[in-house]
């Protein structure tokens, strides 16, 4: 098995006695797109900083390309921090060249590749403009270019979509896919699940500094029971008809125009077809039947709620 | 090294490529030129003041007229003495001076002086001109003094600047009532007062039977004072301007050192605050080690200050060369100063003290900058530092009066002050143990300050500490349980 390009091994970190990250372990394999998810304040940025060696963990170890992070391994990494900023008085291209050179590029190569990336992002005409004259979205794209101009093997993006409009979010998604297509490993943090659902091979979910899920998107979706929304006549009682097929069945709202809505969560192993068949066989008068698609957002809310409840109980 | 170099380079270019840097570069030479030229400019710009004297005693007005004439002769003499040193003008100026010294004839002296001297003499303006009083009472003169009416003068109607009423009583006491709307300007009032006072004293001597010329002769008696140094050979023992130059130049260099350190430390503070508030530090932290950020910034701004110092030195050299061609005496003076500055015995300590003084204050300012998001936040932390920085500045003024004062010797041992005070004291040859001891403590302190600044900078850059960092540190120390 190949060495992970990024790994945290049982790392913990506390600030002023308050734990930010607790005994966290996960690894990112080469060529994958990994989403590092969690609510605000879950400890995502702190974990990424420990992984890059910017912050020292109180306990545990971090590894980049199989070794403890140092500035020779960091040259192989492109990092977009959550708190973003560039020298406002610098020219756009000069800023990209500066960060490229810090990562070990020659001035000439950084200039050539920087120009090409600016063109690719539709920013060719602002190459010689000062950063302070750019819009927020433009400046953010320049910063992304500055973090990937040296063609890193691993790109870590901390909340890369925040502050971008929907068009630019779509463009960034395309870039991430393009980088991954070229074999670049991507690790990005976000609390917007739609991006993770569209992009990730794998997700790591963090809540209150603890890992609460680590696996593929489909595995994550499996953690939620499948659900069906249906509507019956007011005299029908589907509860008895569906006994054994459902985990729960609850009325959704009050009876209106002689009809009742129901939310049905299926039992493990049952699917929507079984429910529909049972309703037909037991002559439940159905007026609507809609199997629900599961989203990562629901998984996220479900797992975080579950973890919060566990925390309260313990 | 790559990171440190690139950060230093960016820092350097970010200052050197701005108009503000070139203004700073030009500011010091321009400021020095202005400081030298300002008294002359002010004098040249001040208008001619017309005044009247209403002398009830009948003889002090003539004394004032004589004083005005004496002043005029003295100004002509000063110009002619200066012209004696200008190539091609020496002969005419010497002859004109001889005539002036012999019979005090300004007209004849002007006729004998060369063309250049006459141009200079024509430029001399009489600042105070005595005119006939248009009235003899305060009430009648009031409209003239407040500018409602004008008096007749050789240059036509003019406002009356002042009026002096001189009277005496039976006991012989003399009273001068000086009326003028300009209540802060004192030169004319002093002139009138001195002229009347000297005349009163001469009269008193005369009444006592002492000859007037004899009084003048006695007043002119002065010892011929020679300042000699035992450290020089007997033949050349006299202390010259070149001997005194190191003392003044050392204090001047210490002042320059203080100004540069203070200015560039402020540059570091503001640039770090800009980087922190602009979130640039976050981006840099994943590309360069914290130490490289700290040292790169320190090196970049140090290069800026060396560029400033080099620029000022070149400007000084050019000024000395130009001045030497037009005014030999001024050129010589500047040459003496530049020769003293170039003396390795002063120049090398200056550079060394600059490095340590800069590193100590620069690192502290940088660390403070990393704790703040705005300049307002920085001001709360800066105030104590500013007070500390003012102490060597005050001490430098003291060095001029008494460079061997024991207070200065004590202050030299405080490492934050060592660069400035020891540099100013070097020409007095302080004891060897003081030079070595203060230097070692200063180096040790610099190392500790750099280490501590690195830690604070790291905490600040990582957003783990803010303006309350030191308050929290103190609380933590207090709360720490005692070891048993």
């Amino acid at each position: 098995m190949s060495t992970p390009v990024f790994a945290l091994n049982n790392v913990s970190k506390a600030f002023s006695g308050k734990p930010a990250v607790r005994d966290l372990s996960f690894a990112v394999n080469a060529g994958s797109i990994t989403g590092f998810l969690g609510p605000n304040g879950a400890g995502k940025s702190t974990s990424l900083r420990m992984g890059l060696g910017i912050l020292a963990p109180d306990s545990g170890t971090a590894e980049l390309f199989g070794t403890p992070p140092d500035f020779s391994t960091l040259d192989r990494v492109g990092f977009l921090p959550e708190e973003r900023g560039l020298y406002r008085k610098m020219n756009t291209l000069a800023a990209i060249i500066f960060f490229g050179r810090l990562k070990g590029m020659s001035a000439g190569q950084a200039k050539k590749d920087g120009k090409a990336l600016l063109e690719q992002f539709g920013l060719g005409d602002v190459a010689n403009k000062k950063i302070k004259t750019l819009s927020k979205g433009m400046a953010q794209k320049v910063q992304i270019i500055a973090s990937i101009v040296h063609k890193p093997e691993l790109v870590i993006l901390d909340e890369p979509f925040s502050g971008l409009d929907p068009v630019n979010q779509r463009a960034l998604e395309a870039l991430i896919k393009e980088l991954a297509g070229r074999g670049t490993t991507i690790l990005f943090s976000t609390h917007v699940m739609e991006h993770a659902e569209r992009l990730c091979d794998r997700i790591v979910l963090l809540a209150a500094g603890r890992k609460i899920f680590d696996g593929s998107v489909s595995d994550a979706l499996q953690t939620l029971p499948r659900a069906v929304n249906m509507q019956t006549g007011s005299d029908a009682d589907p509860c008895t008809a569906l006994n054994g097929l459902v985990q729960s069945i609850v009325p959704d709202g009050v009876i209106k125009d002689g009809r009742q809505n129901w939310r049905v969560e299926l039992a493990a192993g049952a699917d929507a077809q079984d429910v529909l068949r049972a309703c037909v066989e037991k002559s439940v008068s159905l007026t609507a039947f809609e199997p629900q698609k599961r989203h990562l957002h629901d998984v996220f809310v479900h797992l975080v709620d579950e973890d919060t409840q566990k925390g309260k109980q313990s | 090294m790559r990171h440190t170099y690139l950060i230093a380079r960016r820092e350097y270019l970010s200052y050197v490529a701005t108009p503000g840097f070139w203004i700073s570069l030009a500011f010091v030479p321009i400021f020095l030129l202005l400081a030298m030229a300002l008294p002359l400019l002010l004098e040249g710009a001040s208008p001619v003041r017309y005044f009247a004297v209403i002398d009830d005693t009948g003889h002090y007005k003539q004394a004032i007229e004589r004083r005005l004439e004496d002043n005029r002769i003295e100004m002509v003499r000063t110009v002619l003495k200066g012209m004696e040193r200008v190539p091609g003008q020496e002969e005419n100026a010497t002859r004109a001076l001889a005539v002036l010294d012999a019979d005090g004839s300004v007209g004849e002296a002007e006729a004998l002086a060369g063309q250049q001297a006459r141009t200079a003499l024509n430029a001399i303006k009489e600042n105070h001109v005595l005119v006939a009083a248009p009235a003899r009472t305060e009430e009648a003169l009031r409209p003239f003094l407040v500018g409602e009416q004008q008096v007749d003068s050789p240059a036509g109607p003019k406002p009356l600047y002042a009026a002096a009423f001189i009277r005496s009583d039976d006991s012989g006491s003399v009273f001068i009532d000086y009326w003028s709307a300009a209540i802060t300007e004192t030169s004319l009032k002093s002139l009138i007062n001195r002229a009347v006072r000297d005349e009163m004293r001469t009269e008193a001597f005369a009444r006592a039977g002492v000859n007037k010329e004899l009084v003048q002769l006695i007043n002119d008696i002065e010892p011929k004072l020679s300042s000699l140094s035992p450290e020089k050979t007997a033949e050349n023992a006299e202390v010259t301007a070149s001997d005194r130059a190191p003392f003044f130049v050392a204090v001047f260099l210490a002042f320059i050192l203080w100004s540069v350190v203070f200015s560039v430390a402020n540059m570091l503070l503001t640039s770090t605050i800009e980087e922190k508030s602009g979130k640039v530090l976050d981006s840099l932290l994943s590309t360069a080690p914290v130490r490289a950020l700290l040292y790169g910034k320190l090196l970049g701004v140090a290069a800026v200050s060396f560029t400033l110092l080099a620029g000022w030195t070149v400007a000084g050299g050019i000024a000395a060369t130009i001045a030497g061609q037009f005014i030999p005496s001024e050129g010589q003076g500047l040459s003496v100063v530049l020769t003293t500055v170039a003396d390795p015995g002063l120049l090398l300590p200056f550079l060394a003290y600059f490095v340590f003084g800069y590193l100590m204050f620069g690192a502290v300012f940088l660390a403070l900058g990393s704790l703040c998001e705005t300049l307002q936040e920085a001001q709360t932390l800066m105030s104590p530092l500013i007070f500390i920085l003012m102490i060597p500045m005050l001490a430098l003024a003291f060095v001029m009066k008494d460079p061997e004062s024991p207070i200065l010797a004590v202050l030299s041992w405080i490492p934050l002050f060592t660069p400035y005070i020891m540099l100013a004291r070097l020409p007095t040859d302080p004891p060897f143990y003081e030079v070595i001891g203060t230097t070692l403590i200063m180096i040790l302190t610099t190392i500790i300050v750099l280490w501590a600044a690195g830690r604070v900078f790291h905490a600040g850059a990582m957003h783990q500490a803010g303006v309350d960092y030191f308050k929290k540190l103190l609380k933590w120390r207090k709360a720490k349980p005692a070891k048993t």
Side-chain angles (χ1 to χ4, degrees):
Chain A
M1 193 179 164
S2 64
T3 310
V5 293
F6 178 99
L8 290 174
N9 308 313
N10 306 107
V11 293
S12 296
K13 182 78 185 172
F15 296 112
S16 307
K18 196 177 166 191
V21 177
R22 291 183 266 196
D23 198 28
L24 175 65
S25 296
F26 77 93
V28 176
N29 292 319
S32 64
I33 303 180
T34 305
F36 193 36
L37 316 179
N40 293 329
K44 302 188 294 291
S45 296
T46 303
S47 304
L48 293 179
R49 284 176 170 186
M50 286 192 286
L52 290 167
I54 299 171
L55 265 182
D58 296 338
S59 62
T61 57
E63 285 176 18
L64 272 180
F65 304 101
T67 61
D70 60 22
F71 280 87
S72 64
T73 48
L74 271 179
D75 280 353
R76 298 161 68 188
V77 179
F79 176 54
L80 179 77
E82 184 184 12
E83 298 280 359
R84 291 182 263 282
L86 291 167
Y87 292 105
R88 287 172 47 76
K89 290 174 190 165
M90 246 180 154
N91 284 356
T92 303
L93 184 57
I96 294 169
I97 294 170
F98 173 65
F99 279 98
R101 292 192 71 190
L102 280 173
K103 289 289 190 181
M105 293 181 90
S106 69
Q109 194 62 44
K111 187 175 182 180
K112 190 178 155 211
D113 293 355
K115 268 185 175 174
L117 280 168
L118 282 171
E119 290 294 342
Q120 187 187 333
F121 274 78
L123 295 172
D125 54 339
V126 299
N128 294 313
K129 286 194 173 161
K130 290 195 188 302
I131 299 284
K132 65 180 177 185
T133 64
L134 306 183
S135 69
K136 193 180 171 189
M138 279 174 155
Q140 188 153 336
K141 281 201 265 184
V142 171
Q143 181 132 25
I144 291 167
I145 294 170
S147 62
I148 61 167
V149 67
H150 61 294
K151 299 189 175 69
E153 295 162 55
L154 167 65
V155 172
I156 299 177
L157 307 165
D158 195 358
E159 299 285 357
F161 298 99
S162 70
L164 288 181
D165 60 43
V167 175
N168 279 312
Q169 287 186 15
R170 185 59 61 90
L172 181 57
E173 280 191 18
L175 173 77
I176 289 172
K177 282 177 184 163
E178 190 193 318
L179 288 171
R182 281 194 239 140
T184 309
T185 310
I186 312 280
L187 169 63
F188 72 94
S189 75
T190 184
H191 58 268
V192 182
M193 298 303 123
E194 286 77 9
H195 301 300
E197 197 169 337
R198 281 197 290 268
L199 292 168
C200 295
D201 307 319
R202 184 166 156 248
I203 56 167
V204 176
L205 185 54
L206 202 66
R210 272 198 308 269
K211 185 171 80 175
I212 54 172
F213 181 82
D214 184 350
S216 67
V217 174
S218 57
D219 287 346
L221 295 174
Q222 292 297 329
T223 62
L224 269 187
R226 279 170 289 183
V228 170
N229 284 352
M230 60 187 211
Q231 193 180 60
T232 62
S234 60
D235 53 344
D237 177 14
C239 299
T240 317
L242 299 179
N243 196 13
L245 287 173
V246 300
Q247 190 176 308
S248 71
I249 177 164
V250 287
D252 187 8
V254 293
I255 297 169
K256 194 176 175 188
D257 299 330
R259 286 165 189 172
Q260 173 69 59
N261 290 322
W262 301 88
R263 272 193 61 78
V264 182
E265 283 190 352
L266 309 188
D271 65 20
Q273 289 301 322
D274 298 331
V275 173
L276 184 61
R277 194 177 303 117
C279 285
V280 173
E281 283 171 3
K282 301 285 169 62
S283 303
V284 176
S285 63
L286 279 174
T287 50
F289 187 86
E290 189 183 3
Q292 292 298 296
K293 189 175 180 333
R294 288 165 297 182
H295 289 286
L296 207 48
H297 175 83
D298 305 311
V299 177
F300 177 81
V301 173
H302 170 74
L303 290 175
V304 170
D305 280 350
E306 202 174 73
D307 184 70
T308 311
Q309 291 304 322
K310 273 185 200 166
K312 279 179 184 167
Q313 282 166 13
S314 63
Chain B
M1 277 307 289
R2 163 172 48 108
H3 298 117
T4 309
Y5 161 72
L6 287 169
I7 287 159
R9 183 176 175 275
R10 196 217 70 82
E11 198 75 19
Y12 178 74
L13 291 176
S14 73
Y15 287 107
V16 174
T18 60
F21 172 81
W22 296 100
I23 291 168
S24 304
L25 192 62
F27 178 75
V28 169
I30 290 171
F31 175 77
L32 287 176
L33 280 176
L34 276 177
M36 286 193 277
L38 198 61
L40 293 173
L41 288 172
L42 284 175
E43 201 175 325
S46 65
V48 179
R49 280 142 184 181
Y50 298 90
F51 71 103
V53 173
I54 298 92
D55 182 12
D56 290 342
T57 65
H59 52 278
Y60 290 121
K61 187 175 175 183
Q62 289 89 322
I64 294 167
E65 284 169 340
R66 276 200 304 280
R67 178 58 60 100
L68 288 173
E69 182 59 15
D70 288 347
N71 286 356
R72 165 92 183 150
I73 291 170
E74 200 47 51
M75 277 195 287
V76 171
R77 182 176 282 113
T78 307
V79 171
L80 291 174
K81 279 191 171 172
M83 282 297 164
E84 269 191 314
R85 295 188 214 141
V86 178
Q89 300 292 317
E90 307 97 319
E91 206 177 311
N92 288 338
T94 307
R95 275 192 296 159
L97 260 176
V99 169
L100 194 69
D101 288 340
D103 59 10
S105 168
V106 172
E108 266 188 60
E110 278 186 17
L112 284 170
Q115 185 55 47
Q116 224 173 314
R118 271 196 293 280
T119 310
L121 289 169
N122 286 337
I124 294 175
K125 212 163 50 176
E126 285 178 273
N127 288 331
H128 301 119
V129 174
L130 183 60
V131 294
R136 295 198 62 83
T137 64
E138 287 91 345
E139 205 51 46
L141 277 175
R142 192 179 294 273
F144 294 92
L145 287 165
V146 297
E148 290 169 2
Q149 289 184 45
Q150 295 192 317
V151 292
D152 290 329
S153 81
K158 293 285 177 189
L160 187 64
Y161 180 74
F165 291 84
I166 306 173
R167 57 189 170 79
S168 60
D169 63 11
D170 295 340
S171 67
S173 299
V174 175
F175 303 91
I176 305 171
D177 288 344
Y178 180 83
W179 289 77
S180 176
I183 54 174
T184 54
E185 211 282 330
T186 57
S187 65
L188 178 61
K189 189 163 56 180
S190 301
L191 184 144
I192 294 169
N193 188 47
R194 280 198 307 274
V196 174
R197 180 199 64 192
D198 292 350
E199 186 63 16
M200 285 171 68
R201 288 178 183 176
T202 306
E203 284 171 357
F205 279 123
R207 280 198 299 276
V210 182
N211 181 290
K212 196 167 117 183
E213 281 74 28
L214 183 65
V215 172
Q216 186 62 47
L217 208 64
I218 292 168
N219 276 344
D220 289 344
I221 292 173
E222 266 192 65
K224 302 281 182 206
L225 175 70
S226 294
S227 183
L228 304 164
S229 168
E231 290 170 356
K232 299 177 82 180
T233 56
E235 303 86 59
N236 299 314
E238 184 146 8
V239 176
T240 62
S242 301
D243 298 324
R244 278 190 290 267
F247 294 88
F248 297 112
V249 169
V251 173
F252 176 71
L253 286 181
F255 173 73
I256 292 279
L257 183 69
W258 185 91
S259 310
V260 172
V261 166
F262 190 62
S263 313
V264 297
N266 263 316
M267 280 183 191
L268 280 169
L269 178 84
T270 47
S271 82
T272 311
I273 291 173
E274 263 180 35
E275 279 176 358
K276 192 172 181 196
S277 61
K279 316 294 181 198
V280 185
L281 274 181
D282 292 79
S283 305
L284 288 173
L285 283 168
S286 65
T287 53
V290 172
R291 294 273 164 192
L293 293 181
L294 185 80
Y295 298 144
K297 289 178 78 64
L298 281 170
L299 279 176
V301 175
V304 172
S305 33
F306 275 117
T307 308
L308 278 174
L309 290 171
W312 294 340
T313 309
V314 170
I318 293 169
T321 312
I322 294 170
Q325 284 183 352
F326 290 95
I327 318 166
S329 61
E330 293 297 319
Q332 276 169 13
L334 275 173
S335 293
V336 169
V337 170
L338 286 176
T339 311
T340 311
V341 170
D343 178 3
L346 204 54
L347 185 64
L348 293 180
F350 171 77
L351 293 175
Y353 282 135
F354 171 77
V355 168
F356 287 103
Y358 165 73
L359 284 179
M360 274 190 286
F361 279 100
V364 170
F365 277 50
L366 224 157
L368 292 185
S370 73
L371 298 176
C372 308
E373 296 273 353
T374 63
L375 269 177
Q376 284 82 358
E377 280 182 4
Q379 274 161 1
T380 58
L381 296 174
M382 288 284 294
S383 302
L385 257 185
I386 301 282
F387 283 120
I388 293 170
L389 255 174
M390 288 310 294
I391 295 172
M393 195 60 187
L394 298 171
L396 284 181
F398 204 57
V399 175
M400 294 288 278
K401 284 184 189 167
D402 184 7
E404 294 180 29
S405 158
I407 296 171
L408 291 175
V410 171
L411 287 177
S412 305
W413 287 93
I414 300 172
L416 287 174
F417 308 156
T418 305
Y420 317 102
I421 298 176
M422 279 308 284
L423 179 64
R425 286 181 63 211
L426 277 185
T428 65
D429 289 330
F432 186 66
Y433 76 88
E434 268 193 44
V435 178
I436 295 295
T438 54
T439 305
L440 284 177
I441 291 178
M442 179 183 72
I443 292 172
L444 190 68
T445 307
T446 306
I447 293 168
I448 294 169
V449 166
L450 280 173
W451 172 83
R455 286 184 67 90
V456 177
F457 185 78
H458 187 271
M462 296 300 306
H463 302 278
Q464 290 171 359
V467 280
D468 55 351
Y469 178 80
F470 295 103
K471 210 188 281 177
K472 279 185 180 171
L473 203 68
L474 281 174
K475 275 186 188 168
W476 179 74
R477 293 270 180 234
K478 278 179 192 167
K480 204 175 171 184
K483 281 183 184 170
T484 51

